[in-house]
Amino acid sequence: MVVDAGGLVEQSKDITTVKHANNRVRYANKPIKKSNRWCKKRRRKVVFPRVREVLRLQQLFVSCREIFKGHGTVPPASDVNKLCNILDKMKPGDVGLSKNQFFKAAGAAIGTHPRVTYTTIYQCSEFSLCIFFLPEKAVIPLHNHPGMTVFSKLLLGTMHIKSYDWVHPKHSMPSSRMRLARLKANGVYTAPCDTSVLYPTTGGNMHEFKAMTPCAVLDVIGPPYSKQEGRDCSYYKDYPYGDGETTAVREEEGECLGWLEEIQVPEEAEMDRIQYLGPQIIQNTTTC
């Protein structure tokens, strides 16, 4: 299992990049069919993305390059607000997605979760821009973002999101791998909605996505996952709070608490990577 800088979990080496197909993701610029008639030659119509769409994505890219400073840094509040203002205005067309049904769940066996796919718009050592596509009932399991700041913009669909932060100082259950966490979010969100932000220790650093309808989520991650720099992805299972008793999550001094146990990478965490075919960002000679 390999952790990819542009996503959460990528399959082992025998899994290659999946070619773009309309049964997975449908971008706004559809391929144009050639005529089979030999007597007439038709010019192929070239469809360019609207300038507004390119400008929004380009603005996001340029701002990310200015804001993210790499390992061990967290953007200040002014920069967080700047990125949120850009992301809040972004729509599916800004990354080339059709407003119609944009993909179908494929290869999902009965009784299992449909597979999630993802595409990387851009990635470097300081940040990455990627989109996750969740068919209805698909799940991205509860996972963490060590040392990272993550902006999530729901572009399409309705999704249930649950998130936690660790309770400090470290509080664990006796003779157990479980650790106490504070519930930060547990609700349903429908696009268009405001951008959510999580930080290294606050804002719901550990979160879980469950698609109630087909969903697309644009993530800005800074810095990306990196085993070498201590930012490996871990997965968790949550349990009700209550000293090991099987009771409902209860309020403790106005806060909802729960136990989190680190687990092996779950099957539903495996994703297929597809090629990004939306509007392209423009890079100058200065690289990040």
Side-chain angles (χ1 to χ4, degrees):
M1 196 68 59
V2 179
V3 176
D4 185 84
L8 296 179
V9 177
E10 189 175 355
Q11 299 180 68
S12 55
K13 294 182 179 179
D14 60 325
I15 302 297
T16 57
T17 300
V18 180
K19 293 184 178 180
H20 179 271
N22 278 342
N23 67 339
R24 287 288 180 90
V25 177
R26 183 172 300 149
Y27 284 92
N29 296 336
K30 298 180 180 178
I32 299 169
K33 297 181 180 179
K34 293 182 179 179
S35 172
N36 292 326
R37 298 178 62 183
W38 60 271
C39 57
K40 290 184 179 181
K41 291 185 178 180
R42 296 182 179 180
R43 290 186 177 182
R44 172 177 272 187
K45 182 180 179 182
V46 179
V47 180
F48 294 98
R50 288 177 291 181
V51 174
R52 173 175 56 82
E53 297 170 353
V54 177
L55 288 178
R56 281 181 179 163
L57 183 59
Q58 186 68 23
Q59 184 184 16
L60 177 64
F61 166 72
V62 172
S63 296
C64 286
R65 193 165 57 179
E66 294 172 350
I67 289 171
F68 290 106
K69 304 301 181 182
H71 178 70
T73 63
V74 177
S78 58
D79 286 341
V80 169
N81 291 335
K82 181 179 180 179
L83 279 186
C84 283
N85 288 335
I86 297 172
L87 287 164
D88 285 344
K89 297 174 184 176
M90 293 195 72
K91 300 178 180 179
D94 295 322
V95 289
L97 295 179
S98 169
K99 292 182 180 179
N100 301 320
Q101 184 180 6
F102 54 95
F103 69 96
K104 297 178 181 178
I110 297 176
T112 63
H113 294 292
R115 277 182 90 86
V116 175
T117 57
Y118 77 96
T119 188
T120 301
I121 301 173
Y122 179 84
Q123 67 179 33
C124 65
S125 59
E126 276 73 35
F127 69 93
S128 66
L129 307 176
C130 51
I131 309 171
F132 295 93
F133 303 96
L134 290 79
E136 184 177 357
K137 298 182 180 180
V139 175
I140 297 180
L142 188 64
H143 62 281
N144 69 344
H145 305 81
M148 302 156 70
T149 304
V150 180
F151 298 74
S152 295
K153 170 63 176 178
L154 182 60
L155 295 171
L156 289 166
T158 298
M159 175 182 292
H160 182 271
I161 300 177
K162 182 191 289 186
S163 66
Y164 291 92
D165 286 325
W166 294 122
V167 171
H168 295 286
K170 292 184 178 181
H171 184 85
S172 59
M173 185 181 292
S175 303
S176 173
R177 296 175 58 189
M178 294 187 184
R179 185 175 166 187
L180 194 62
R182 180 180 297 106
L183 186 67
K184 298 297 293 184
N186 187 22
V188 175
Y189 299 82
T190 299
C193 57
D194 292 340
T195 303
S196 63
V197 187
L198 63 84
Y199 301 91
T201 59
T202 60
N205 185 272
M206 295 155 287
H207 66 196
E208 171 191 78
F209 291 164
K210 290 184 178 180
M212 302 179 69
T213 68
C215 296
V217 183
L218 171 62
D219 264 12
V220 178
I221 305 173
Y225 287 103
S226 170
K227 276 190 176 182
Q228 291 75 15
E229 295 183 350
R231 296 189 303 276
D232 196 7
C233 186
S234 299
Y235 291 86
Y236 303 90
K237 181 175 177 59
D238 58 343
Y239 295 91
Y241 175 80
D243 299 326
E245 299 176 4
T246 56
T247 59
V249 176
R250 76 184 187 195
E251 282 198 9
E252 183 76 6
E253 297 180 355
E255 297 179 334
C256 293
L257 304 176
W259 295 106
L260 299 190
E261 179 184 22
E262 186 172 346
I263 61 174
Q264 296 296 319
V265 179
E267 181 181 353
E268 58 266 31
E270 295 183 351
M271 303 179 185
D272 294 323
R273 184 172 182 172
I274 60 173
Q275 182 182 1
Y276 173 68
L277 297 178
Q280 299 297 305
I281 58 174
I282 301 170
Q283 302 180 51
N284 56 26
T285 55
T286 304
T287 59
C288 67

